[in-house]
Amino acid sequence: MANREPLIISDKDEMRKWSRSMRSQGKSIGLVPTMGFLHQGHLSLIQESHKHTQLTVVSIYVNPGQFSPNEDLSTYPSDFLGDIGKLKSVPGGVDVVFNPKNLYDYGKNDGFENTNGQEKEKTVSCVENSGIGHETWVRVENLEKGLCGKSRPIFFRGVATIVTKLFNIVEPDVAVFGKKDYQQWKIIQRMVRDLDFGIKVVGSELMRDEDGLAMSSRNVHLSLDQRGKALSISKSLYKAKVAAEKKGQVDCKELKDSLIHAIQEAGGTIDYAEIVDQESLEDLKEINRPAVCCVAAWFGNVRLIDNMEINV
Protein backbone atom coordinates (compact mmCIF):
# COMPACT_ATOMS: atom_id res chain seq x y z
CA MET A 1 0.00 0.00 0.00
CA ALA A 2 1.46 3.34 -1.05
CA ASN A 3 1.26 6.61 0.92
CA ARG A 4 1.99 4.81 4.19
CA GLU A 5 3.81 7.02 6.70
CA PRO A 6 7.09 5.42 7.76
CA LEU A 7 8.26 5.51 11.34
CA ILE A 8 11.23 7.88 11.59
CA ILE A 9 13.92 6.85 14.08
CA SER A 10 17.06 8.87 14.79
CA ASP A 11 18.38 7.15 17.93
CA LYS A 12 20.47 4.04 17.32
CA ASP A 13 19.35 2.31 20.52
CA GLU A 14 15.72 2.89 19.55
CA MET A 15 16.45 1.52 16.08
CA ARG A 16 18.01 -1.62 17.50
CA LYS A 17 15.11 -2.06 19.94
CA TRP A 18 12.58 -1.83 17.08
CA SER A 19 14.44 -4.40 14.98
CA ARG A 20 14.75 -6.87 17.83
CA SER A 21 11.07 -6.46 18.65
CA MET A 22 10.08 -7.21 15.06
CA ARG A 23 12.43 -10.19 14.80
CA SER A 24 11.07 -11.58 18.06
CA GLN A 25 7.70 -11.68 16.28
CA GLY A 26 9.25 -13.75 13.52
CA LYS A 27 9.39 -10.93 10.96
CA SER A 28 12.28 -10.54 8.53
CA ILE A 29 13.92 -7.15 7.95
CA GLY A 30 15.52 -5.68 4.85
CA LEU A 31 17.88 -2.69 4.93
CA VAL A 32 18.42 -0.22 2.10
CA PRO A 33 21.33 2.08 3.03
CA THR A 34 21.24 5.50 1.32
CA MET A 35 22.71 8.96 1.67
CA GLY A 36 19.39 10.57 0.80
CA PHE A 37 18.36 12.82 -2.09
CA LEU A 38 16.50 9.80 -3.36
CA HIS A 39 15.73 9.01 -6.99
CA GLN A 40 14.03 6.14 -8.80
CA GLY A 41 17.17 4.02 -8.50
CA HIS A 42 16.89 4.11 -4.71
CA LEU A 43 13.18 3.35 -4.86
CA SER A 44 13.89 0.29 -6.98
CA LEU A 45 16.13 -1.00 -4.16
CA ILE A 46 13.16 -0.78 -1.80
CA GLN A 47 11.02 -2.77 -4.20
CA GLU A 48 13.79 -5.36 -4.37
CA SER A 49 13.84 -5.54 -0.56
CA HIS A 50 10.12 -6.31 -0.58
CA LYS A 51 10.84 -9.47 -2.57
CA HIS A 52 13.05 -10.84 0.20
CA THR A 53 11.67 -9.58 3.52
CA GLN A 54 8.48 -8.63 5.31
CA LEU A 55 9.71 -5.28 6.64
CA THR A 56 12.01 -2.67 5.10
CA VAL A 57 14.23 -0.08 6.78
CA VAL A 58 15.73 2.74 4.70
CA SER A 59 18.67 4.54 6.27
CA ILE A 60 19.33 8.14 5.27
CA TYR A 61 22.75 9.22 6.42
CA VAL A 62 25.43 11.24 4.63
CA ASN A 63 28.50 9.41 5.86
CA PRO A 64 31.39 11.78 6.64
CA GLY A 65 33.77 8.84 6.98
CA GLN A 66 33.93 8.23 3.22
CA PHE A 67 34.82 11.80 2.24
CA SER A 68 38.36 13.15 2.25
CA PRO A 69 38.92 16.85 3.08
CA ASN A 70 38.99 17.91 -0.59
CA GLU A 71 35.77 16.10 -1.56
CA ASP A 72 32.16 17.24 -1.82
CA LEU A 73 30.67 16.41 1.60
CA SER A 74 29.51 19.97 2.25
CA THR A 75 27.82 20.20 -1.15
CA TYR A 76 26.26 16.73 -1.20
CA PRO A 77 22.58 17.32 -2.10
CA SER A 78 19.86 16.61 0.44
CA ASP A 79 16.09 16.97 0.71
CA PHE A 80 14.83 15.00 3.70
CA LEU A 81 11.17 16.01 3.44
CA GLY A 82 11.23 15.30 -0.28
CA ASP A 83 12.78 11.91 0.44
CA ILE A 84 9.98 11.02 2.86
CA GLY A 85 7.42 11.95 0.24
CA LYS A 86 9.11 9.68 -2.30
CA LEU A 87 9.28 6.82 0.19
CA LYS A 88 5.56 7.15 0.88
CA SER A 89 4.87 6.71 -2.83
CA VAL A 90 6.62 3.33 -3.09
CA PRO A 91 4.18 0.42 -3.53
CA GLY A 92 4.35 -1.62 -0.35
CA GLY A 93 5.76 1.30 1.57
CA VAL A 94 8.68 1.60 3.95
CA ASP A 95 8.39 0.63 7.58
CA VAL A 96 11.20 2.68 9.13
CA VAL A 97 13.44 5.53 8.05
CA PHE A 98 16.60 5.44 10.16
CA ASN A 99 17.96 8.99 10.11
CA PRO A 100 20.71 9.32 12.73
CA LYS A 101 22.34 12.68 13.33
CA ASN A 102 25.85 11.37 13.88
CA LEU A 103 27.03 7.78 13.97
CA TYR A 104 30.51 8.85 15.05
CA ASP A 105 29.29 10.65 18.18
CA TYR A 106 30.54 9.30 21.49
CA GLY A 107 29.25 11.98 23.81
CA LYS A 108 31.29 14.96 22.66
CA ASN A 109 29.81 17.88 20.77
CA ASP A 110 32.40 18.84 18.18
CA GLY A 111 30.04 20.28 15.59
CA PHE A 112 30.25 16.98 13.73
CA GLU A 113 26.73 16.04 12.77
CA ASN A 114 24.62 14.86 9.89
CA THR A 115 22.33 17.80 9.16
CA ASN A 116 20.42 16.73 6.05
CA GLY A 117 21.04 20.00 4.32
CA GLN A 118 20.64 22.32 7.31
CA GLU A 119 23.66 24.22 8.64
CA LYS A 120 25.92 22.23 6.37
CA GLU A 121 28.92 24.32 7.35
CA LYS A 122 29.10 22.29 10.58
CA THR A 123 29.57 19.05 8.69
CA VAL A 124 33.18 18.11 8.03
CA SER A 125 35.03 15.05 6.89
CA CYS A 126 35.62 12.40 9.50
CA VAL A 127 39.34 12.46 8.78
CA GLU A 128 39.50 16.21 9.45
CA ASN A 129 37.79 16.05 12.81
CA SER A 130 39.71 15.42 16.02
CA GLY A 131 38.67 14.51 19.52
CA ILE A 132 35.56 12.44 18.79
CA GLY A 133 37.25 9.19 19.66
CA HIS A 134 36.44 7.17 16.54
CA GLU A 135 39.49 5.19 15.45
CA THR A 136 38.18 1.79 14.33
CA TRP A 137 37.85 1.14 10.61
CA VAL A 138 36.85 -1.82 8.46
CA ARG A 139 38.85 -2.51 5.30
CA VAL A 140 38.47 -5.02 2.50
CA GLU A 141 42.07 -4.79 1.51
CA ASN A 142 42.32 -6.11 -2.04
CA LEU A 143 38.92 -5.28 -3.52
CA GLU A 144 39.20 -1.65 -2.42
CA LYS A 145 42.51 -0.99 -4.19
CA GLY A 146 41.46 -0.60 -7.82
CA LEU A 147 38.82 1.39 -9.71
CA CYS A 148 37.43 4.12 -7.41
CA GLY A 149 39.92 3.17 -4.71
CA LYS A 150 42.83 4.54 -6.74
CA SER A 151 41.64 8.15 -6.66
CA ARG A 152 39.59 7.90 -3.43
CA PRO A 153 41.92 6.02 -1.06
CA ILE A 154 39.78 6.38 2.10
CA PHE A 155 36.39 5.99 0.41
CA PHE A 156 35.83 2.26 0.83
CA ARG A 157 37.25 2.27 4.34
CA GLY A 158 34.47 4.72 5.18
CA VAL A 159 31.84 2.72 3.29
CA ALA A 160 32.72 -0.62 4.88
CA THR A 161 32.83 0.96 8.33
CA ILE A 162 29.48 2.74 8.11
CA VAL A 163 27.77 -0.31 6.62
CA THR A 164 29.16 -2.41 9.47
CA LYS A 165 27.75 0.11 11.93
CA LEU A 166 24.35 0.07 10.20
CA PHE A 167 24.33 -3.73 10.19
CA ASN A 168 25.08 -3.78 13.93
CA ILE A 169 22.35 -1.24 14.67
CA VAL A 170 19.56 -2.36 12.34
CA GLU A 171 20.40 -6.09 12.45
CA PRO A 172 18.77 -6.86 9.07
CA ASP A 173 18.32 -10.24 7.43
CA VAL A 174 18.87 -8.79 3.94
CA ALA A 175 20.66 -5.67 2.69
CA VAL A 176 20.13 -4.31 -0.82
CA PHE A 177 22.77 -2.38 -2.76
CA GLY A 178 22.63 -1.03 -6.29
CA LYS A 179 24.98 -2.45 -8.92
CA LYS A 180 25.71 1.08 -10.13
CA ASP A 181 28.28 1.19 -7.33
CA TYR A 182 29.64 -2.14 -8.51
CA GLN A 183 32.84 -2.10 -6.50
CA GLN A 184 30.96 -1.08 -3.37
CA TRP A 185 28.51 -3.97 -3.82
CA LYS A 186 31.33 -6.49 -4.20
CA ILE A 187 33.20 -5.07 -1.21
CA ILE A 188 30.15 -5.37 1.03
CA GLN A 189 29.55 -8.93 -0.18
CA ARG A 190 33.14 -9.85 0.65
CA MET A 191 33.01 -8.11 4.03
CA VAL A 192 29.84 -9.97 4.99
CA ARG A 193 31.43 -13.28 3.97
CA ASP A 194 34.73 -12.65 5.71
CA LEU A 195 33.26 -11.32 8.96
CA ASP A 196 30.45 -13.90 9.13
CA PHE A 197 27.55 -11.49 9.17
CA GLY A 198 24.27 -13.42 9.00
CA ILE A 199 23.03 -11.10 6.26
CA LYS A 200 22.20 -11.75 2.62
CA VAL A 201 23.58 -9.01 0.36
CA VAL A 202 21.46 -8.49 -2.75
CA GLY A 203 22.67 -6.58 -5.79
CA SER A 204 19.91 -4.69 -7.60
CA GLU A 205 20.23 -3.81 -11.27
CA LEU A 206 21.48 -0.35 -12.23
CA MET A 207 18.69 2.10 -13.10
CA ARG A 208 18.94 4.60 -15.93
CA ASP A 209 17.00 7.69 -16.93
CA GLU A 210 15.17 7.55 -20.25
CA ASP A 211 18.17 9.09 -22.01
CA GLY A 212 20.45 6.33 -20.69
CA LEU A 213 22.32 8.27 -17.99
CA ALA A 214 22.87 6.20 -14.87
CA MET A 215 20.72 7.57 -12.05
CA SER A 216 22.75 9.40 -9.40
CA SER A 217 22.10 12.02 -6.75
CA ARG A 218 24.99 13.97 -8.25
CA ASN A 219 23.25 14.34 -11.63
CA VAL A 220 21.44 17.39 -10.25
CA HIS A 221 24.75 19.29 -10.41
CA LEU A 222 25.09 18.77 -14.19
CA SER A 223 24.17 21.62 -16.50
CA LEU A 224 21.93 20.77 -19.45
CA ASP A 225 24.94 20.85 -21.74
CA GLN A 226 27.06 18.69 -19.42
CA ARG A 227 24.27 16.17 -19.07
CA GLY A 228 24.05 15.78 -22.83
CA LYS A 229 27.79 15.24 -23.07
CA ALA A 230 27.75 12.80 -20.15
CA LEU A 231 25.56 10.47 -22.19
CA SER A 232 28.80 9.49 -23.93
CA ILE A 233 29.53 7.27 -20.91
CA SER A 234 26.53 4.96 -21.24
CA LYS A 235 26.67 5.02 -25.04
CA SER A 236 30.32 4.00 -25.14
CA LEU A 237 29.78 1.32 -22.47
CA TYR A 238 26.94 -0.16 -24.49
CA LYS A 239 29.07 -0.07 -27.63
CA ALA A 240 31.83 -1.98 -25.82
CA LYS A 241 29.33 -4.53 -24.51
CA VAL A 242 27.92 -5.14 -28.00
CA ALA A 243 31.40 -5.35 -29.52
CA ALA A 244 32.41 -8.03 -27.01
CA GLU A 245 29.19 -10.06 -26.81
CA LYS A 246 27.97 -9.84 -30.41
CA LYS A 247 31.09 -9.24 -32.48
CA GLY A 248 33.67 -11.21 -30.56
CA GLN A 249 35.95 -8.25 -29.83
CA VAL A 250 37.49 -9.33 -26.52
CA ASP A 251 40.80 -7.43 -26.42
CA CYS A 252 40.38 -5.20 -23.37
CA LYS A 253 42.87 -2.53 -24.45
CA GLU A 254 41.08 -2.00 -27.75
CA LEU A 255 37.70 -1.79 -26.04
CA LYS A 256 38.97 0.61 -23.37
CA ASP A 257 40.77 2.84 -25.86
CA SER A 258 37.58 3.23 -27.89
CA LEU A 259 35.56 3.98 -24.77
CA ILE A 260 38.05 6.54 -23.46
CA HIS A 261 38.26 8.28 -26.83
CA ALA A 262 34.45 8.64 -27.04
CA ILE A 263 34.18 10.17 -23.56
CA GLN A 264 37.10 12.54 -24.08
CA GLU A 265 35.71 13.60 -27.47
CA ALA A 266 32.51 14.58 -25.63
CA GLY A 267 34.50 16.76 -23.22
CA GLY A 268 34.80 14.37 -20.29
CA THR A 269 37.91 13.83 -18.19
CA ILE A 270 38.61 10.17 -17.47
CA ASP A 271 39.32 9.09 -13.90
CA TYR A 272 39.47 5.45 -14.94
CA ALA A 273 38.12 3.03 -17.53
CA GLU A 274 38.73 -0.61 -16.70
CA ILE A 275 37.48 -4.05 -17.67
CA VAL A 276 37.69 -6.37 -14.68
CA ASP A 277 36.63 -9.79 -13.48
CA GLN A 278 33.12 -9.64 -11.98
CA GLU A 279 34.15 -11.31 -8.74
CA SER A 280 37.80 -10.46 -8.05
CA LEU A 281 37.70 -7.04 -9.81
CA GLU A 282 41.13 -7.84 -11.21
CA ASP A 283 42.10 -6.21 -14.52
CA LEU A 284 41.61 -8.38 -17.58
CA LYS A 285 43.63 -8.31 -20.79
CA GLU A 286 41.07 -10.42 -22.60
CA ILE A 287 37.42 -11.07 -21.86
CA ASN A 288 37.38 -14.83 -21.34
CA ARG A 289 35.10 -14.93 -18.29
CA PRO A 290 32.27 -12.82 -16.81
CA ALA A 291 33.57 -9.25 -16.82
CA VAL A 292 32.36 -5.77 -16.04
CA CYS A 293 33.42 -2.57 -17.77
CA CYS A 294 33.64 0.25 -15.22
CA VAL A 295 34.06 3.96 -15.86
CA ALA A 296 34.49 7.07 -13.77
CA ALA A 297 34.64 10.41 -15.56
CA TRP A 298 34.34 14.09 -14.77
CA PHE A 299 32.03 16.46 -16.60
CA GLY A 300 32.68 19.88 -15.15
CA ASN A 301 32.94 19.44 -11.39
CA VAL A 302 30.73 16.35 -11.34
CA ARG A 303 32.27 12.90 -11.08
CA LEU A 304 30.07 10.20 -12.58
CA ILE A 305 30.44 6.42 -12.41
CA ASP A 306 28.81 3.77 -14.56
CA ASN A 307 29.32 0.16 -15.58
CA MET A 308 28.01 -2.65 -17.73
CA GLU A 309 28.47 -6.37 -17.21
CA ILE A 310 29.87 -8.30 -20.18
CA ASN A 311 29.19 -12.02 -20.54
CA VAL A 312 30.74 -13.69 -23.56
Side-chain angles (χ1 to χ4, degrees), residues 115-158:
T115 57
N116 291 305
Q118 299 177 357
E119 301 181 19
K120 280 189 175 181
E121 66 274 11
K122 291 184 179 180
T123 308
V124 297
S125 165
C126 196
V127 295
E128 286 183 286
N129 202 264
S130 60
I132 61 175
H134 184 88
E135 56 179 306
T136 304
W137 302 95
V138 180
R139 304 205 77 144
V140 182
E141 294 191 353
N142 285 325
L143 286 183
E144 72 172 36
K145 288 179 180 177
L147 303 175
C148 287
K150 290 181 180 178
S151 59
R152 306 186 74 189
I154 73 161
F155 177 73
F156 289 116
R157 179 191 78 169

Side-chain angles (χ1 to χ4, degrees), residues 18-19 22-23 27-31 53 55 57 170 172-174:
W18 180 90
S19 291
M22 294 300 105
R23 296 187 74 177
K27 296 181 179 179
S28 57
I29 299 171
L31 171 65
T53 61
L55 303 172
V57 176
V170 179
D173 300 282
V174 172

Side-chain angles (χ1 to χ4, degrees), residues 11-57:
D11 181 77
K12 57 188 176 183
D13 292 329
E14 184 182 346
M15 181 70 253
R16 187 180 288 114
K17 182 178 179 181
W18 180 90
S19 291
R20 291 182 177 179
S21 174
M22 294 300 105
R23 296 187 74 177
S24 71
Q25 298 174 37
K27 296 181 179 179
S28 57
I29 299 171
L31 171 65
V32 178
T34 83
M35 295 211 300
F37 210 72
L38 305 180
H39 50 67
Q40 188 59 43
H42 295 110
L43 304 187
S44 73
L45 304 183
I46 296 165
Q47 293 171 315
E48 183 66 30
S49 176
H50 290 162
K51 299 176 184 177
H52 302 274
T53 61
Q54 295 163 293
L55 303 172
T56 294
V57 176

